[in-house]
Amino acid sequence: MKQRYNLLIKSLKLVWDSAPGWATANSLISVIRSFLPLLLLLLLKNVIDEITTTASAGGSVSNIMMPLLLLAIVWFLDEGFADAGNYVRKKQSVKFEDYMYGLLHEKAVKADLINFENPEYYDNLSRASHDAPWRPNNILNNLISILRSLISLLLITGLIISFNWLPAALLVFANIPGIWLRLHYADILFDFRRKKTPEARKAAYFNWLLTGDKPSREIRLFGLGNYFRELFRRSFLKQKEEELEIIRKRTFIEILSDVFKASAIFIMIFYIADQAIEGSVSLGSMAMFLLAFRQGMIYMKELFGSLSGLYEDSLFIGDTFAFLDLKETIVAKDKILLPETLKESITVENLSFSYPGNEKKIIDNVSFTLNKDEVVAIVGHNGAGKSTLVRLISRLYDPDSGSVKFDGIDIKRFEPDEYRKLFSIIFQDFMLYNLTAGDNIKMGRIDHNSNDRMIDSARKSGAMRFIEELPGGFETSIGNLFDESRELSWGEWQKIALARALYRDSPILILDEPASALDSDTEYEIFSHFREIVKNRTTILISHRFTNVTLADRIIVMDHGRIAETGDHDELMARKGLYYSMYNKQSSRFEK
């Protein structure tokens, strides 16, 4: 309970931080509305009694204009505050959603990249993304609803007790089964939804396969539509049918609890009607007490509903804070100022790394030096650890053991974001941004706007040729998600990615399969002036095309996470080792 209390306090702090003014307005309007129903009941009683008296005396309706006017005014105020409250709650909700999405996105961007290799992280992220934008705000609304319902209920109960204590006791006891039910099934549904998070993500994945752009071609080519439709349906219904079974049981008990409430209302109506027939109460009093009892039932339901909602929120909100409180491990340790550029070398010393849940070492005791302005190629079979090594050097991952040193200083001492600014990287699975061609290139350094550098980068990458043919040149939207966009071929996207890396103009350039989708003419054009592109840059080139690898000053050959051999092309060919074997196999295909 202490933990849940702390979570509630943290949630309310988030709501307050997001929009203190609107949270205050929401609370004040709710408190004011608490008093209006009682005032309406008293005015209604007065109007009915005035009508009865005036009719008996043979008077006209003009004699009761003031009570009628007061009733209408209070009615208007009740409706007006309700409408204003709806707007205020909506405004506060929008402010809060914006604030929470900001926190979620900030955390998602800062979270260690290695988290994305862990299924549990995806489960936590999924639950947090679902609950964070509304759960904490719902906690505030439930607390406000509890306050408003409690004030209104106490006022109404006081009114009923002034008539007789028995109906007031009946009002409370008739609602006890309902509150027990909500609390009991809140725990059951919470446990169920946590357990079913992986299944829900699986259904979402199958839905993406059926509706997404990237899978659409293979889905049609291989006729996989019905297969994945069945997988989605099976996964979707598996979770929903179990949830419906829980709700079915809850609904049955709810109906039984409604019998208690209906019985209480019957007893109250019978009692009041008997008192009215005997002449103990006036018609106005009878109407007031009947409506008061009915309103009391409503407020009791709202009160217990808000309490159980608050309890439910306290269960689910823990996932949101577990995500927001996730600690980043890739941080500066014994932080020092980062040099402006590489002066001597990057040294990799006894580096080892394995992915979470996998005991196999992807990088196994690797050591080498990358000298300033040197071009080093890294080659090896798929799965040899080439791309993982790049992520360790750029500190997207931290190693299990060993170190990477930048001019003799462990890179863990630098601020990670600042250190990464020294790198331009084309990843093998680079991003396709559905923005303008110019914006796609400028993503390489979003804080620097230079049209001259953009044009130069496009020219060096070979992208200029097709960009000039686009309707709006660099201002043309590319991709296929939005209106008036132009889709590009994969090779053209790769040229855009290369231009983006060059636009960054960082001293260290890493190219991970930069020509995998380029046509032979463009590849020849780029690599024929490769030295111009990498001039004054320390470069790592990862490629399976050995004709490009020969341009490197030095070649590192990796095998099963280890460095098998190193040297320039001629040295490695003379050694007749792994590089010699791979080179000859590739060359023989073309010679035949």
Side-chain angles (χ1 to χ4, degrees), residues 146-316:
I146 289 170
L147 178 63
R148 186 182 72 238
S149 300
L150 186 60
I151 293 173
S152 297
L153 182 62
L154 289 174
L155 292 172
I156 292 295
T157 304
L159 181 64
I160 295 173
I161 289 176
S162 70
F163 177 70
N164 193 302
W165 67 269
L166 184 61
L170 202 60
L171 180 65
V172 174
F173 286 112
N175 285 279
I176 288 177
I179 182 61
W180 171 85
L181 177 74
R182 289 291 298 268
L183 294 176
H184 176 68
Y185 276 95
D187 280 320
I188 292 176
L189 283 172
F190 171 71
D191 292 337
F192 167 79
R193 286 169 184 166
R194 279 188 66 90
K195 185 176 69 175
K196 288 298 177 184
T197 299
E199 195 68 45
R201 287 200 303 108
K202 190 185 294 184
Y205 172 67
F206 293 141
N207 180 63
W208 174 76
L209 288 176
L210 289 164
T211 60
D213 168 60
K214 192 172 182 180
S216 61
R217 290 168 285 279
E218 286 200 8
I219 293 292
R220 285 156 179 76
L221 177 64
F222 297 128
L224 299 173
N226 288 335
Y227 175 74
F228 283 118
R229 281 177 61 198
E230 182 58 30
L231 287 180
F232 169 79
R233 186 172 180 271
R234 203 179 304 161
S235 182
F236 176 79
L237 291 179
K238 182 179 179 182
Q239 49 176 321
K240 293 302 178 183
E241 285 175 355
E242 291 184 37
E243 185 175 4
L244 283 172
E245 179 60 21
I246 294 172
I247 294 174
R248 184 188 68 80
K249 293 178 181 178
R250 185 180 72 179
T251 302
F252 177 74
I253 301 175
E254 280 178 338
I255 292 172
L256 290 180
S257 70
D258 289 338
V259 173
F260 283 92
K261 295 178 186 178
S263 301
I265 290 175
F266 172 78
I267 294 170
M268 180 64 182
I269 292 174
F270 181 86
Y271 180 75
I272 292 291
D274 181 62
Q275 294 293 307
I277 290 170
E278 290 181 0
S280 301
V281 296
S282 66
L283 288 177
S285 296
M286 184 187 75
M288 180 185 70
F289 287 124
L290 285 176
L291 288 173
F293 191 80
R294 174 60 181 158
Q295 283 296 113
M297 293 287 280
I298 292 173
Y299 294 139
M300 187 69 75
K301 183 177 181 179
E302 287 182 358
L303 176 62
F304 287 156
S306 298
L307 281 170
S308 60
L310 192 64
Y311 178 75
E312 181 180 307
D313 290 333
S314 72
L315 293 174
F316 283 92

Side-chain angles (χ1 to χ4, degrees), residues 529-547:
H529 62 273
F530 180 72
R531 284 291 175 175
E532 178 189 348
I533 292 175
V534 302
K535 185 179 180 181
N536 298 323
R537 288 188 176 100
T538 305
T539 305
I540 295 177
L541 172 64
I542 299 175
S543 179
H544 287 99
R545 301 193 184 185
F546 286 85
T547 52

Side-chain angles (χ1 to χ4, degrees), residues 498-538:
L498 178 56
R500 182 159 59 236
L502 297 177
Y503 181 86
R504 189 169 177 80
D505 197 29
S506 296
I508 304 165
L509 179 63
I510 299 177
L511 307 174
D512 192 349
E513 296 293 350
S516 60
L518 297 180
D519 58 79
S520 57
D521 288 343
T522 304
E523 182 180 359
Y524 174 79
E525 179 186 345
I526 290 175
F527 280 93
S528 63
H529 62 273
F530 180 72
R531 284 291 175 175
E532 178 189 348
I533 292 175
V534 302
K535 185 179 180 181
N536 298 323
R537 288 188 176 100
T538 305

Side-chain angles (χ1 to χ4, degrees), residues 293-428:
F293 191 80
R294 174 60 181 158
Q295 283 296 113
M297 293 287 280
I298 292 173
Y299 294 139
M300 187 69 75
K301 183 177 181 179
E302 287 182 358
L303 176 62
F304 287 156
S306 298
L307 281 170
S308 60
L310 192 64
Y311 178 75
E312 181 180 307
D313 290 333
S314 72
L315 293 174
F316 283 92
I317 198 63
D319 292 319
T320 296
F321 285 108
F323 178 74
L324 292 178
D325 294 339
L326 192 67
K327 300 298 182 184
E328 293 95 33
T329 60
I330 299 182
V331 295
K333 300 169 183 176
D334 299 323
K335 182 178 174 181
I336 62 172
L337 192 64
L338 179 73
E340 291 184 4
T341 189
L342 182 66
K343 295 178 181 178
E344 295 181 6
S345 64
I346 294 177
T347 306
V348 175
E349 295 181 353
N350 307 120
L351 210 62
S352 293
F353 175 82
S354 57
Y355 285 100
N358 190 346
E359 295 181 1
K360 179 185 175 183
K361 290 184 178 181
I362 302 300
I363 302 296
D364 189 4
N365 199 34
V366 168
S367 298
F368 67 93
T369 298
L370 177 64
N371 297 311
K372 177 178 170 59
D373 296 339
E374 184 182 23
V375 178
V376 172
I378 303 178
V379 300
H381 297 298
N382 289 333
K386 305 182 296 295
S387 297
T388 301
L389 182 60
V390 163
R391 294 175 188 179
L392 290 165
I393 292 172
S394 57
R395 213 189 170 198
L396 292 172
Y397 295 160
D398 268 346
D400 298 333
S401 61
S403 63
V404 177
K405 293 184 178 179
F406 187 90
D407 283 338
I409 304 171
D410 195 319
I411 62 172
K412 290 183 178 181
R413 300 192 65 185
F414 304 131
E415 186 65 41
D417 289 341
E418 293 300 315
Y419 173 71
R420 291 172 194 147
K421 288 180 180 179
L422 298 174
F423 290 82
S424 289
I425 306 177
I426 297 184
F427 293 105
Q428 201 167 351

